């Protein structure tokens, strides 16, 4: 093998390395880019039940009297927040286009003040974009004093263009603590064991 | 898996017929002695041997973990270990087998054989090669040590779904992440090295379409590694940040999404399963023609099928996630895309069978394993097709049926191909043929053991037995009894494999340069057996075999 052959080889190897490194960096960045892309994708398509968490205005469209849709409410406690969340009714029947108000109560069962937030989800995913929330406690974080009870409304409509095959829409709310704003959990938890289990 | 490296080369030996006439004697100083020699070696053959020995040791450690699992599942009820430890065993078994046994074994074979098969004197980046090997003992020493840490080792399954692996994970998880990062860097460096070697170091006259299929499949595997290992690194980095720095990539409370974890993981994970099988295709494509005494049927279609599989493997990750609540359109897309992969895979199986057709077949140990590979891997492919049917997968998902599927493609698939490769190349590594009697015992006990272990899992899975549980309902008792017996049979017969290798290093029937006859005629068979430490210092002129 001559000197020049070896140099050509070396140059080839170097080129391969740089291209590989570029591909590696690109793919690593791609993995992180997928996080916002995924979010945008889910929001645009409504997959995932990821709903818009900003208020929308009431649209005065004609109520579709011919159609009845069942809307169910599920409330859940995520871990780490000693609150209880209840809804006045588990289920309502309504027409597309109609505006409905439902009340939810939050009670802090611990001995300290804490911040929480209810994260919404919609099922089936195809209904997500047709749920129009005018006012929702899920738009913002809540603060509850020790033992405080708070009643908050959800005002919403189902749009008339709700896909015809959807007869039941389920709205799920999961309670989570707001990082950094709650008091250290130990005090709350230690004082109120039963509350946490609820 | 040759524990001993070919005899120390003297100048006379390296001036054998193959590299006669080379003018320069660089880097032939006597290598350092003892442990330093192994720590510092940059020789592709020595590094290849180290990879293979490492992989064999890890194969036994991972195997012991599997036997702990099978021991507990031998009978219903909790007998031997508590559920927490059981979960650590299933997790560690999977992690070790995938990342420390199968992947390093293929890298070891690549190190040994790729330079020999393309007529290169060594890998393109020999020092990097040494570094990528030595990262592995560090990575897996660390991973194994998590078992002794407070709270135990990883217990969330080899797929480490968040938030199980973040919010609810044991404190040792940070070390798990670190060890996976190190192992990932090792794979990436190995892949760069292999690509650089194949693209730049081929013997004059060897075109891409002249390369042996083992080289081709490894080239494509390396591209897969470069594409997906950074994604794995990204996912575990996100986990690390969720655990230690309060981010919420996968935490719904903070606006993250656990389903995102699964998308990212399987975007890596599905190509990863092909990383573990493509080099196996290459090995089998070398062995079948050698012992059927015919040219491989459809060389070009093999290359294109491999490339097609690799490209499609980026579009099917969703088949692991049919039950997460994916929209119908997504389910259909992933279902059809997955089934499409069966087409190039079918082309390969067809070509192997066509090569066998009217061949003059003999059943030496490598051929036994290669034939078992073709049959049993195909069974795994069929159960994969069943799983690919989205509505059917709603029933099968997370049952033992999935366990049966991936063990058929990985054990009598990838692992048998590795063993076939070891038997095939042992004469080149050691200069001796492996002991046929012992190898046959090893083969038959392994085949029986594998099928006893994994075939009943199809039935227990279809009957509804969930995977990853330490105890089960009584109706599954018989299937589990058979599976456990088979597992112990398979596990202990691997000791025969070690025996064959040790005996073969020590002595045995002498092998000539072209050890398996005229149809095993890739370049590695043109150097003496055992292959001297330095080969092809002067590039050989590549002669295209008359087809
Ligand atoms: C025709 C080819 C194949 C098809 C159609 C196929 C299909 C599938 C499907 C649909 C699943 C998901 C099952 C579930 O979780 O419900 C699966 C799981 C799996 N497959 Fe395959 N597969 C094929 C080949 C392979 C190969 C070649 C390998 C590896 C060498 C492999 C390794 C795996 C593994 C490891 C899992 C389980 C991952 C886990 O959840 O732990 N498959 N396969
Ligand atoms: Cu897959």
């Amino acid at each position: 093998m001559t000197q020049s052959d070896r140099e050509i080889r070396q140059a080839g190897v170097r080129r391969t390395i740089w291209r590989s490194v570029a591909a590696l960096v690109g793919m690593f960045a791609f993995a992180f880019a997928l996080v916002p892309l995924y979010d945008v994708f889910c929001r645009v398509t409504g997959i995932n039940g990821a709903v818009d968490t900003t208020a929308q205005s009431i649209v005065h469209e004609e109520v579709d009297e011919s159609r009845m849709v069942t809307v169910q409410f599920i409330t859940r406690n995520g871990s780490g927040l000693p609150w209880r969340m209840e809804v006045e009714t588990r289920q309502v029947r309504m027409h597309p286009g109609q505006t409905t108000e439902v009340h939810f109560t939050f009670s802090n069962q611990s001995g300290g003040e804490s911040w929480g937030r209810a994260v919404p989800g919609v099922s089936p995913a195809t209904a997500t974009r047709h749920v129009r929330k005018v006012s929702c406690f899920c738009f913002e974080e809540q603060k509850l004093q020790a033992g405080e009870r708070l009643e908050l409304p959800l005002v919403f409509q189902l749009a008339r263009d709700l896909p015809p095959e959807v007869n039941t829409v389920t709205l799920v709310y999961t309670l989570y603590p707001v990082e950094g704003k709650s008091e250290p959990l130990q005090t709350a938890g230690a004082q109120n064991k039963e509350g946490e289990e609820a | 898996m040759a524990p001993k490296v070919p005899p120390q080369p003297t100048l006379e030996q390296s001036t054998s017929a193959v590299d006669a006439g080379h003018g320069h004697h660089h880097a032939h100083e006597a290598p350092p002695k003892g442990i330093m020699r192994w720590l510092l070696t940059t020789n592709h053959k020595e590094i290849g041997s180290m990879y293979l020995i490492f992989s064999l040791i890890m194969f036994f450690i991972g195997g012991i973990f599997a036997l702990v699992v099978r021991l507990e599942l031998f009978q219903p009820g909790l007998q031997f270990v508590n559920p927490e430890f059981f979960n650590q065993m299933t997790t560690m078994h999977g992690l070790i087998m995938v990342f420390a046994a199968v992947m390093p074994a293929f890298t070891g074979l690549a190190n040994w054989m790729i330079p020999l098969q393309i007529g290169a004197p060594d890998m393109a980046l020999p020092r990097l090669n040494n570094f990528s090997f030595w990262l592995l003992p560090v990575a897996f020493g660390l991973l194994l040590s998590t078992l002794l840490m407070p709270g135990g080792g990883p217990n969330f399954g080899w797929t480490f779904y968040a938030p199980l692996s973040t919010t609810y994970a044991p404190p040792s998880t940070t070390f798990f992440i670190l060890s996976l990062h190190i192992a990932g860097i090792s794979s990436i460096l190995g892949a760069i090295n292999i690509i650089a070697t194949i693209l730049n170091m081929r013997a004059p006259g060897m075109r891409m379409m002249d390369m042996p299929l083992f080289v081709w499949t490894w080239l494509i595997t390396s591209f897969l590694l470069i594409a997906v290992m950074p994604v794995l690194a990204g996912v575990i980095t996100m986990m690390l940040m969720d655990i230690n720095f309060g981010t919420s990539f996968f935490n719904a409370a903070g606006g993250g999404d656990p389903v995102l974890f699964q998308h990212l993981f399987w975007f890596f994970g599905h190509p990863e399963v092909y990383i573990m099988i493509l080099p196996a295709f290459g090995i089998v494509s070398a062995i079948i023609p050698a012992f059927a005494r015919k040219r491989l049927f459809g060389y070009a279609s093999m290359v294109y099928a491999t490339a097609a599989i690799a490209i499609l493997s980026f579009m099917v990750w969703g088949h692991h996630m049919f039950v997460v609540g994916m929209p119908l359109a997504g389910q259909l897309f992933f279902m059809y895309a997955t089934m499409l992969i069966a087409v190039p895979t079918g082309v390969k199986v067809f070509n192997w069978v066509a090569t066998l057709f009217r061949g003059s077949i003999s059943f030496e140990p490598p051929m036994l394993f290669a034939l078992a590979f073709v049959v049993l891997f195909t069974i795994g492919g069929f159960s994969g097709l069943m799983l690919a049917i989205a509505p059917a997968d709603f029933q099968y998902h997370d049952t033992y049926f999935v366990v049966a599927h991936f063990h058929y493609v990985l054990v009598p698939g990838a692992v048998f191909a590795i063993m076939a490769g070891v038997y095939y190349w042992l004469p080149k590594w050691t200069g001796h043929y492996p002991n046929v009697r012992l190898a046959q015992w090893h083969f038959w006990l392994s085949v029986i053991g594998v099928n006893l272990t994994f075939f009943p899992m199809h039935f227990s899975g279809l009957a509804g037995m969930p995977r990853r549980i330490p105890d089960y309902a009584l109706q599954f008792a018989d299937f589990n009894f058979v599976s456990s017996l088979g597992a112990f049979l398979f596990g202990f017969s691997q000791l025969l494999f070690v025996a064959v290798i040790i005996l073969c290093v020590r002595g045995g029937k002498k092998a000539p340069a072209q050890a398996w006859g005229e149809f095993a005629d890739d370049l590695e068979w043109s150097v003496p057996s055992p292959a001297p430490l330095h080969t092809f210092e002067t590039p050989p002129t590549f002669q295209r075999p008359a087809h």
Side-chain angles (χ1 to χ4, degrees), chain B residues 26 46 57 63 216 323 388 396 411 430 432 467 481 490 495-496:
Chain B
H26 55 99
E46 294 185 334
I57 294 169
W216 254 119
V323 300
Y396 307 152
V411 185
T430 67
H432 308 121
R467 60 192 283 209
F481 175 77
F490 180 78
L495 294 172
L496 287 175

Side-chain angles (χ1 to χ4, degrees), chain B residues 158-159 266 270 273-274 276-277 319-320 322 338 341-342 345 377 380-381 384-385 387-388 393 396-398 402 405-406 409-410 467-468:
Chain B
W158 84 277
T159 51
W266 288 115
H270 188 82
V273 307
Y274 282 95
M276 293 189 284
I277 203 68
H319 65 216
H320 296 274
F322 283 139
T338 303
I341 291 205
T345 313
F377 172 78
L385 277 176
L387 290 165
D393 185 66
Y396 307 152
H397 181 67
D398 265 346
V402 179
H405 157 66
F406 68 73
V409 283
L410 284 171
R467 60 192 283 209
R468 295 172 171 156

Side-chain angles (χ1 to χ4, degrees), chain B residues 300-465:
Chain B
S301 67
M302 284 296 205
V303 173
Y304 297 133
T306 311
I309 291 174
I311 291 165
L312 285 174
S313 76
F314 287 104
M315 298 190 251
V316 298
W317 78 91
H319 65 216
H320 296 274
M321 304 173 56
F322 283 139
V323 300
V324 297
M326 195 186 281
L328 186 63
Q331 293 185 23
L332 289 174
F333 172 79
F334 285 121
M335 170 166 136
Y336 291 127
T338 303
M339 292 186 169
L340 208 56
I341 291 205
V343 176
T345 313
V347 167
K348 288 186 162 285
V349 175
F350 177 85
N351 286 347
W352 292 321
V353 175
T355 309
L356 290 168
F357 184 66
R358 295 201 165 159
S360 147
I361 303 175
S362 58
F363 298 93
E364 282 85 351
M367 185 63 161
L368 288 175
F369 278 93
L371 290 175
F373 170 94
V374 174
V375 175
L376 298 176
F377 172 78
T378 306
I379 293 181
F382 282 138
S383 58
L385 277 176
M386 289 173 70
L387 290 165
I389 305 166
D393 185 66
F394 287 8
Q395 179 191 340
Y396 307 152
H397 181 67
D398 265 346
T399 70
Y400 258 81
F401 191 82
V402 179
V403 180
H405 157 66
F406 68 73
H407 281 92
Y408 262 87
V409 283
L410 284 171
V411 185
V415 172
F416 271 25
I418 292 166
M419 290 174 174
V422 168
Y423 281 120
Y424 182 59
W425 284 311
L426 264 177
K428 185 53 58 193
W429 301 338
T430 67
H432 308 121
Y433 286 104
N435 181 312
V436 176
R437 265 286 111 121
L438 269 184
Q440 284 170 340
W441 274 99
H442 172 227
F443 171 74
W444 286 108
L445 291 178
S446 296
V447 170
I448 295 168
V450 151
N451 285 293
L452 277 182
T453 311
F454 299 118
F455 210 79
M457 290 182 184
H458 291 113
F459 302 123
S460 45
L462 289 180
M465 177 166 162

